[in-house]
Amino acid sequence: MRSNIDETKTVKITEARKKIDQEERAGFEDYNMRAEKYIESFSWCDAVVGMRVGLFFPDILSVFLVEIESSLPHIPELVWVVIGDLPPAYVRYEKTACGNAACALNSYVGAMYEWVEAVENGQSVEGLVRVNVAPTKEWAKELRGRLEFIDEDILPEYEQFLT
C-alpha cells in the first residue's frame, strides 16, 4: 500500500526530461542512471520497476522515488533514493513516514549527520547509514559541508512539506 507516499509531488522521468533545460539534461540522466544502479546493487532488489523524480538540483542532488520488486516480503515496494555530489542513500518510507521528496531529503540529511558526528567523535559507524567513503575526519568534514548547504539553502524552501 502506498498511502504514505504522495505521488503528486513526484514527476514521471519522461515528463521531467521535457521540463529540464537541455544544458542540465546530461546531469539529470546521470543522476537517474546512478540512482537506478545504486538501488539495483542491493541483493534484496530483484528489479527496478519504475522511477519518478521528486527533487532535482543540477550539479548538487536529486531525489527519486523508486518502485522495486523483491522476492523478500519485508522489503517495501517504494524507496526514496538520494543521489548527487554526495554519498548515495535510500530512505525507506515505511520507517520514516516520508510522504514527499523533501521529507526524504530531510531524513537523508539527519542520517548522514549521525554518521558525520560518529566519525568526528571517533565512534563506530556500524549500524548507521551506509556511506561509500572511509569513515575519516576528512570525509566527515567534506560531508558536513554538503549537509550544511542542504540544511541552509535547500530544505528551508520546502519547510511546509517537512512533517
Side-chain angles (χ1 to χ4, degrees), residues 2-36:
R2 300 181 192 181
S3 60
N4 292 337
I5 298 294
D6 182 354
E7 291 189 20
T8 63
K9 292 182 176 57
T10 61
V11 178
K12 291 179 181 178
I13 299 297
T14 53
E15 292 302 312
R17 285 183 181 120
K18 295 175 188 175
K19 296 178 181 181
I20 293 172
D21 186 286
Q22 185 68 27
E23 295 173 12
E24 298 169 346
R25 191 162 301 143
F28 176 77
E29 295 298 340
D30 177 57
Y31 286 173
N32 185 10
M33 179 196 65
R34 287 173 46 204
E36 186 171 353

Side-chain angles (χ1 to χ4, degrees), residues 70-87:
S70 178
S71 55
L72 302 174
H74 65 282
I75 301 298
E77 65 182 28
L78 291 169
V79 294
W80 294 102
V81 175
V82 179
I83 201 101
D85 186 27
L86 35 77

Side-chain angles (χ1 to χ4, degrees), residues 94-156:
E94 65 186 20
K95 285 189 176 180
T96 61
C98 289
N100 59 61
C103 284
L105 182 58
N106 192 46
S107 292
Y108 169 92
V109 169
M112 289 294 173
Y113 268 132
E114 286 179 10
W115 185 90
V116 165
E117 289 168 3
V119 172
E120 289 173 343
N121 294 320
Q123 300 169 337
S124 171
V125 294
E126 190 170 327
L128 300 178
V129 65
R130 223 171 69 175
V131 178
N132 64 350
V133 295
T136 65
K137 292 192 188 271
E138 294 79 19
W139 279 118
K141 182 179 178 183
E142 281 285 320
L143 184 51
R144 179 177 284 285
R146 290 180 174 124
L147 296 173
E148 287 171 352
F149 173 80
I150 295 168
D151 251 351
E152 295 168 10
D153 295 326
I154 294 177
L155 286 175

Side-chain angles (χ1 to χ4, degrees), residues 48-103:
V48 169
V49 177
M51 289 180 62
R52 297 174 64 92
V53 64
L55 295 173
F56 172 61
F57 296 93
D59 301 320
I60 301 170
L61 66 86
S62 193
V63 180
F64 292 95
L65 181 60
V66 183
E67 183 177 2
I68 62 170
E69 284 183 355
S70 178
S71 55
L72 302 174
H74 65 282
I75 301 298
E77 65 182 28
L78 291 169
V79 294
W80 294 102
V81 175
V82 179
I83 201 101
D85 186 27
L86 35 77
Y90 69 91
V91 177
R92 297 173 64 150
Y93 79 88
E94 65 186 20
K95 285 189 176 180
T96 61
C98 289
N100 59 61
C103 284

